[in-house]
């Protein structure tokens, strides 16, 4: 016999309306009461009437907010493909997506986006932005109001988000360091390019890359930030190539790969510098084909988008919590011959 909302309400000592709000991911319930209701529902193995809920949500769809960096950053195209694939599967089950694109250099924009989505009635939020106190506080406030947040691609550490979906970033940095040590058997000088060290994803790759190289003879001459912009990346890399004429390699942790390739070509270093980067944007694929890039480390962004929305939907719609705090997607290495 199936467990009813009435039974959960009786055991929790609250009204059926309060249980309904909790199980449907709506706000207006104190955190300690919410936790008590969810614990009882889990203990009783409560299974929601999906058909009835879907019918109700088709009349008034669940609103899910998606906060991510500017649309022109092409890497996120694949994440959106994954989100759209999950959205297609959930058609007819009552969801409505609202994208908010923010300036990834301004921390207040992430917080404002969360506040706006809450004001607009969002039942849950997918979030990928700078890892700082402002965004952390905004995520915590949303969660305390009963609005779950799932971070994707780049985490916000020590926040109350439900889980993180993305690459094992420490492993990614270590793999890059491992590839460098195999290309250089002795002393070598390497430059690191990153988009923005305020992003958890970017910072973790660089941190683990550095730590893995401590026992090697590879020297990291500098870490430069390009902010995912062609002009900044090209200018800073061009200056670095002049400053370090004996440079041996580049680790492009994140950033504008096209600017990196153009600067290397302009300096006449194409084929001489060993380059490790991440992901497979068109510029990276061309760099691999031309022999300018040695390796690229893949993180399956389509899966990041897909799993993020499915996890958040299950959390809101079914009250199902993620199995793990960190939901890692596959990490793999690609070379020119893989294309």
């Amino acid at each position: 016999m199936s467990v009813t909302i009435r039974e959960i309400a009786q055991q929790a000592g609250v009204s059926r309306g309060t249980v309904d709000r909790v199980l449907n991911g709506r706000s207006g319930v104190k955190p300690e009461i919410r936790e008590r209701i969810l614990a009882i529902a889990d203990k009783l193995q409560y299974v929601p009437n999906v058909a009835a809920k879907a019918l109700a949500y088709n009349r008034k769809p669940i609103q899910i907010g998606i906060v991510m960096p500017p649309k022109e950053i092409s890497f996120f195209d694949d994440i959106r493909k994954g989100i759209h694939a999950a959205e297609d599967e959930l058609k007819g089950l009552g969801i409505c997506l609202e994208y908010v694109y923010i300036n990834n250099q301004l921390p207040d924009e992430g917080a404002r986006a969360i506040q706006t989505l809450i004001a607009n009635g969002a039942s849950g939020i997918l979030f990928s932005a700078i890892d700082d106190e402002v965004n952390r506080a905004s995520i915590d406030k949303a969660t305390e109001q009963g609005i779950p947040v799932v971070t994707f691609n780049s985490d916000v550490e020590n926040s109350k988000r439900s889980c993180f979906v993305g690459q094992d970033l420490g492993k990614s940095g270590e793999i890059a360091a491992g590839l460098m040590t195999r290309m250089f058997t002795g002393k070598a000088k390497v430059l690191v390019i990153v988009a923005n060290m305020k992003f958890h994803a970017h910072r973790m790759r660089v941190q683990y890359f550095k730590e893995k190289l401590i026992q090697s003879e590879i020297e990291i001459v500098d870490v430069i930030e390009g902010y995912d912009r062609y002009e900044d990346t090209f200018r800073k890399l061009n200056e670095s190539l002049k400053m370090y004429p004996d440079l041996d390699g580049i680790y492009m942790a994140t950033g504008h790969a096209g600017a990196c390739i153009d600067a290397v070509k302009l300096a006449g270093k194409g084929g001489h510098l060993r380059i490790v980067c991440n992901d497979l944007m068109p510029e990276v694929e061309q760099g691999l084909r031309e022999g300018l890039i040695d390796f690229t480390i893949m993180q399956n962004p389509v899966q990041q988008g897909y799993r993020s929305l499915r996890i958040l939907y299950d959390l809101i719609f079914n009250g199902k919590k993620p199995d793990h705090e960190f939901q890692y997607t596959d990490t793999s290495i690609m070379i020119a011959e893989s294309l």
Side-chain angles (χ1 to χ4, degrees):
M1 184 175 177
S2 62
V3 177
T4 66
I5 286 179
R6 181 194 295 271
E7 292 174 79
I8 297 172
Q10 288 175 343
Q11 290 204 24
V14 298
S15 70
R16 283 179 291 173
T18 300
V19 174
D20 183 71
R21 283 198 295 275
V22 171
L23 296 180
N24 289 316
R26 293 195 291 271
S27 59
V29 181
K30 292 181 180 179
E32 60 270 20
I33 296 176
R34 181 179 300 278
E35 287 301 318
R36 183 163 78 242
I37 290 170
L38 290 174
I40 292 170
D42 186 57
K43 179 183 176 182
L44 297 178
Q45 298 182 322
Y46 170 76
V47 178
N49 186 334
V50 176
K53 290 179 74 173
L55 181 61
Y57 284 132
N58 268 313
R59 297 193 187 103
K60 186 178 180 182
I62 291 175
Q63 294 184 38
I64 294 178
I66 304 170
V67 182
M68 62 168 57
K71 206 168 184 178
E72 57 266 24
I73 298 177
S74 60
F75 166 77
F76 284 90
D77 291 346
D78 281 339
I79 288 183
R80 278 187 291 271
K81 287 179 184 177
I83 292 173
H84 293 159
E87 182 185 16
D88 285 343
E89 290 183 359
L90 297 170
K91 275 183 178 176
L93 294 180
I95 63 169
C96 176
L97 305 185
E98 180 179 352
Y99 286 86
V100 181
Y101 297 100
I102 61 172
N103 185 326
N104 56 355
Q105 294 184 63
L106 301 176
D108 289 350
E109 287 210 1
R112 279 198 296 270
I114 289 176
Q115 292 163 11
T116 299
L117 289 168
I118 292 174
N120 290 345
S123 295
I125 297 171
L126 299 180
F127 190 82
S128 182
I130 288 172
D131 175 20
D132 70 356
E133 288 302 326
V134 177
N135 286 335
R136 197 167 359 268
S138 295
I139 289 173
D140 291 352
K141 185 176 180 180
T143 302
E144 288 161 4
Q145 291 178 292
I147 302 167
V149 178
V150 170
T151 56
F152 64 97
N153 187 253
S154 189
D155 200 6
V156 179
E157 285 188 303
N158 302 316
S159 68
K160 294 181 180 179
R161 50 96 176 108
S162 297
C163 71
F164 164 68
V165 182
Q167 187 180 47
D168 184 336
L169 298 155
K171 179 185 286 186
S172 177
E174 289 179 342
I175 290 172
L179 293 171
M180 284 292 184
T181 58
R182 284 161 176 77
M183 290 190 291
F184 302 121
T185 55
K187 292 183 178 181
K189 293 184 178 181
V190 172
L191 176 73
V192 177
I193 302 173
V194 68
N196 190 338
M197 289 291 278
K198 290 182 179 179
F199 272 83
H200 177 266
H202 306 184
R203 190 169 64 250
M204 288 300 99
R205 280 182 182 159
V206 175
Q207 176 185 324
Y208 280 82
F209 179 75
K210 286 181 174 180
E211 291 176 359
K212 189 71 173 178
L213 290 180
I214 288 175
Q215 301 301 321
S216 75
E217 294 185 85
I218 296 175
E219 174 191 357
I220 298 173
V221 298
D222 199 4
V223 177
I224 61 174
E225 293 177 291
Y227 301 107
D228 276 312
R229 290 197 295 251
Y230 180 96
E231 295 79 7
D232 289 342
T233 306
F234 181 86
R235 174 178 55 79
K236 290 185 176 182
L237 179 53
N238 190 42
E239 292 169 356
S240 294
L241 290 173
K242 292 176 181 176
M243 188 179 301
Y244 306 105
D246 54 347
L247 192 69
D248 298 295
I250 295 174
Y251 171 42
M252 190 151 201
T254 55
H256 203 296
C260 176
I261 291 171
D262 288 349
V264 168
K265 285 181 175 180
L266 181 65
K269 299 280 188 177
H272 301 289
L273 287 173
R274 311 307 297 270
I275 300 177
V276 176
C277 63
N278 282 273
D279 307 310
L280 194 64
M281 285 79 73
E283 302 91 339
V284 175
E285 181 175 347
Q286 189 60 35
L288 285 168
R289 293 186 187 281
E290 293 180 6
L292 300 172
I293 294 174
D294 295 277
F295 302 97
T296 191
I297 302 168
M298 307 294 289
Q299 61 174 311
N300 205 333
V302 174
Q303 270 296 310
Q304 290 180 21
Y306 176 84
R307 288 172 62 183
S308 296
L309 182 54
R310 288 303 310 234
I311 286 169
L312 186 59
Y313 182 84
D314 283 342
L315 185 59
I316 297 169
F317 197 76
N318 300 321
K320 179 183 177 184
K321 292 184 177 181
D323 296 332
H324 304 286
E325 179 183 1
F326 299 98
Q327 303 276 334
Y328 292 135
T329 51
D330 296 334
T331 296
S332 58
I333 302 168
M334 182 171 284
I335 57 177
E337 288 78 8
S338 303
L339 298 172

